[in-house]
Amino acid sequence: MGDGTKTQLVSAIHLQEVELQEKPAGKQQGSESDKADQTFTVEDAVETIGFGRFHILLFVIMGSSNIVEAMEIMLLAVVSPEIRCEWRLDDWQVALVSTMVFLGFMVCGVLGGYVADRYGRWKVVCGGFIWSAYFSLLTSFAPSYGWFIFLRSMVGCGVAGVSQGFVLKTEFIPAKHRAFLLPLATIFWMTGSMLIIILGMLVVPTLGWRWMIRISVTPSVVLIFLFKFIPESARYNVSAGNVDAAVQTLQQIARMNRSSLPAGRLVEPAVTERGSWRILLNSSFRRTSILLWYSWFVASFSYYGSVLSSSELLEKNLLCVTNPDREHQVKHRHEDGLCYCIPFAFDDYQTLLISCLGEIALVPLNIGLLNVFGRKMSLTVLQLMAAIFFMLVNICTTMFGFTVLLFLLRSLVSMNFNVVYIYTAEVYPTAARSLGMGFCTSFSRIGGMIAPFIAQVLMSRSVFLALSPFSVACLLCALGNFLLPIETRGRALLQSS
């Protein structure tokens, strides 16, 4: 082999070694470049982080907001006999108290939804807590019936803001966990309902209804301080163009859950049209919105109809029971302008407590319906069953039989309310989710405004006539729910329309 050939061979070997050394470095550089080019959305991040300690904290704190909301709403059923006697009220005046609460809720529902979509969910929910607690406390000092209904309407306005907490909670929960976790919020609503009934049982006979209201404000005050542990919705921050804040929130959640964010950087376009009613009525959502408004109207109409009807039947002793005791043979009546009052007895409070347990008894069935049949079919089945049970309450039975019917009726209307909440939070995009919820809750409060005049005024004339409108409304709503065009089971939350 000549010197020239040896030189060429050495050069070729040296060149091959250089190439082998450069290839890994080049490959690593390409990998870093690919990683920098990767992007993810909030939906990707929420699903990647998964369920963990943050969601447990979120579930407990935001679920506790349902306790406050339930206590404020259910307070009306407990306090009605007391204010009827104190201010010698007619039936329509007692019904007007509930109507004024729902009027405040209706007016502020849309306003709260608009503000939540424009300026953030957290601000609206926290502000709603402070507002409702303040005016609820003032209610206990009401010197007259006029002041009482005005202050309760202000409480309703604050509760409208609190209800936006459902949107804030939904936007943090992964899709596969929503059908399981969101129905469990019924536990907190039931807890609030039972707390106010127990307070009525223990406090009203000794200290009066005013002290019952003052004590009931305590959970609101505690929750105001706990709210600092809940961040603003990352989905809202992204829609508002505040990507850095969204990333910080997601990183905080990932650390708490001992997880990590997807590789790359968060990229999602800001939404210029946020909180616009046009989104709710565009071609994609028009039919859904109209059917949902009626569904929410009936959900509230039937729920508060069942609550106030049971309270009225017990207070006025209008039950058709085959084994009445002496107390249930005395009828509530007005004669010669005098008010004959029958405050709740211990057994009446006990019946209300048992009926509240109905709101959680069928939660496993609710979860099964959501996961197997989806949201639309669940709404349809629940409304059909509620229509049947409203009519069954007319059957003359024993006191135990009435309690069982009331228990099952409350289960059905409560499950329906829960499912319609879930469906609404899932079907609308982030750009209009709070506004969509605000419109829906406002329509629901129209149902809440009408329900007292049927359950508390018409009930005195005919139990059958008072319960029939609730049954017919549920029947029509079942048909409307069946016609909903969108099924949201297993679907990612939309960011924009």
Side-chain angles (χ1 to χ4, degrees):
M1 184 181 295
D3 293 340
T5 306
K6 287 182 180 179
T7 302
Q8 289 177 2
L9 183 60
V10 171
S11 298
I13 293 172
H14 178 69
L15 181 61
Q16 188 175 12
E17 288 176 352
V18 171
E19 287 178 352
L20 287 172
Q21 289 173 359
E22 288 179 351
K23 274 184 180 179
K27 186 176 181 181
Q28 184 179 0
Q29 185 177 355
S31 176
E32 291 177 355
S33 177
D34 291 341
K35 185 176 179 180
D37 291 338
Q38 287 181 352
T39 60
F40 63 89
T41 63
V42 176
E43 181 71 24
D44 297 331
V46 169
E47 296 297 329
T48 302
I49 292 170
F51 180 81
R53 290 188 297 175
F54 169 79
H55 295 92
I56 295 173
L57 179 68
L58 176 75
F59 181 73
V60 171
I61 295 178
M62 296 308 304
S64 298
S65 68
N66 291 86
I67 295 178
V68 174
E69 190 176 353
M71 289 180 74
E72 293 295 351
I73 299 298
M74 287 297 296
L75 181 144
L76 302 173
V78 177
V79 83
S80 291
E82 304 300 322
I83 62 171
R84 185 198 300 272
C85 296
E86 180 167 333
W87 288 313
R88 297 180 176 272
L89 304 178
D90 289 321
D91 287 340
W92 71 268
Q93 290 175 304
V94 176
L96 187 62
V97 174
S98 300
T99 298
M100 291 301 292
V101 172
F102 294 129
L103 177 64
F105 204 133
M106 182 187 72
V107 172
C108 294
V110 174
L111 178 62
Y114 172 78
V115 174
D117 278 331
R118 295 289 298 177
Y119 304 105
R121 285 80 158 110
W122 190 93
K123 300 180 183 70
V124 173
V125 179
C126 189
F129 267 110
I130 297 171
W131 181 284
S132 60
Y134 174 71
F135 281 100
S136 186
L137 183 62
L138 287 184
T139 302
S140 67
F141 298 98
S144 65
Y145 169 72
W147 272 106
F148 185 85
I149 60 173
F150 168 74
L151 292 171
R152 290 311 297 177
S153 68
M154 292 294 101
V155 172
C157 196
V159 173
V162 174
S163 67
Q164 290 294 333
F166 193 87
V167 173
L168 180 61
K169 177 171 58 178
T170 302
E171 292 184 337
F172 280 120
I173 299 176
K176 66 179 181 181
H177 294 285
R178 288 200 296 266
F180 176 76
L181 283 176
L182 296 180
L184 287 178
T186 308
I187 296 173
F188 295 98
W189 183 276
M190 181 211 68
T191 303
S193 300
M194 293 182 68
L195 275 176
I196 201 67
I197 293 171
I198 293 171
L199 272 177
M201 186 189 302
L202 298 177
V203 178
V204 171
T206 55
L207 299 175
W209 63 269
R210 295 178 185 272
W211 273 104
M212 181 192 72
I213 294 179
R214 290 164 193 162
I215 296 172
S216 70
V217 174
T218 306
S220 296
V221 176
V222 174
L223 276 172
I224 289 169
F225 292 101
L226 291 178
F227 240 72
K228 66 179 181 179
F229 297 107
I230 303 298
E232 178 59 89
S233 167
R235 295 180 192 270
Y236 161 75
N237 278 327
V238 165
S239 71
N242 196 354
V243 177
D244 291 339
V247 171
Q248 289 177 7
T249 298
L250 293 170
Q251 287 174 340
Q252 176 188 348
I253 297 171
R255 284 194 297 271
M256 286 190 67
N257 286 6
R258 295 174 181 174
S259 182
S260 59
L261 295 180
R265 54 195 174 89
L266 176 61
V267 174
E268 207 159 332
V271 181
T272 54
E273 189 180 25
R274 299 193 317 277
S276 173
W277 61 269
R278 293 182 182 86
I279 298 175
L280 306 181
L281 292 176
N282 65 22
S283 58
S284 301
F285 296 108
R286 186 181 300 116
R287 192 168 83 172
T288 298
S289 293
I290 293 171
L291 290 174
L292 266 182
W293 292 342
Y294 180 67
S295 187
W296 274 81
F297 168 85
V298 175
S300 180
F301 182 63
S302 59
Y303 180 84
Y304 295 111
S306 69
V307 171
L308 296 174
S309 293
S310 59
S311 174
E312 201 74 2
L313 287 168
L314 291 169
E315 181 197 347
K316 295 182 177 179
N317 297 323
L318 297 173
L319 298 175
C320 180
V321 292
T322 56
N323 58 341
D325 54 26
R326 180 175 296 180
E327 288 182 355
H328 284 93
Q329 291 175 342
V330 180
K331 304 296 182 183
H332 173 95
R333 64 195 183 278
H334 287 75
E335 294 179 0
D336 302 324
L338 299 175
C339 181
Y340 290 82
C341 304
I342 305 175
F344 283 146
F346 179 82
D347 289 345
D348 296 328
Y349 281 115
Q350 193 174 46
T351 301
L352 289 176
L353 276 175
I354 293 172
S355 68
C356 283
L357 288 173
E359 298 194 12
I360 189 177
L362 300 184
V363 166
L365 176 61
N366 196 3
I367 294 172
L369 284 172
L370 287 169
N371 283 288
V372 176
F373 296 105
R375 281 52 163 165
K376 287 170 51 180
M377 190 56 66
S378 296
L379 288 170
T380 302
V381 171
L382 291 171
Q383 287 289 11
L384 280 175
M385 294 297 294
I388 294 170
F389 273 85
F390 266 114
M391 287 292 94
L392 289 178
V393 174
N394 289 284
I395 296 175
C396 199
T397 182
T398 62
M399 193 64 191
F400 175 77
F402 170 75
T403 303
V404 171
L405 286 174
L406 190 59
F407 178 90
L408 293 173
L409 178 60
R410 284 286 291 275
S411 297
L412 292 167
V413 295
S414 175
M415 284 195 295
N416 178 72
F417 222 145
N418 199 265
V419 176
V420 79
Y421 254 108
I422 294 170
Y423 181 83
T424 305
E426 289 180 337
V427 76
Y428 287 122
T430 301
R433 186 169 294 121
S434 287
L435 184 64
M437 184 70 77
F439 265 98
C440 286
T441 54
S442 290
F443 274 92
S444 79
R445 301 316 159 186
I446 297 175
M449 290 165 65
I450 298 173
F453 285 94
I454 296 175
Q456 293 180 303
V457 178
L458 190 58
M459 188 72 74
S460 298
R461 293 179 171 82
S462 169
V463 175
F464 177 78
L465 288 177
L467 294 175
S468 295
F470 298 112
S471 182
V472 172
C474 288
L475 191 62
L476 293 175
C477 189
L479 176 62
N481 290 328
F482 184 74
L483 297 175
L484 284 167
I486 303 171
E487 173 57 63
T488 61
R489 180 181 58 172
R491 194 186 75 162
L493 295 182
L494 300 177
Q495 190 67 10
S496 66
S497 59

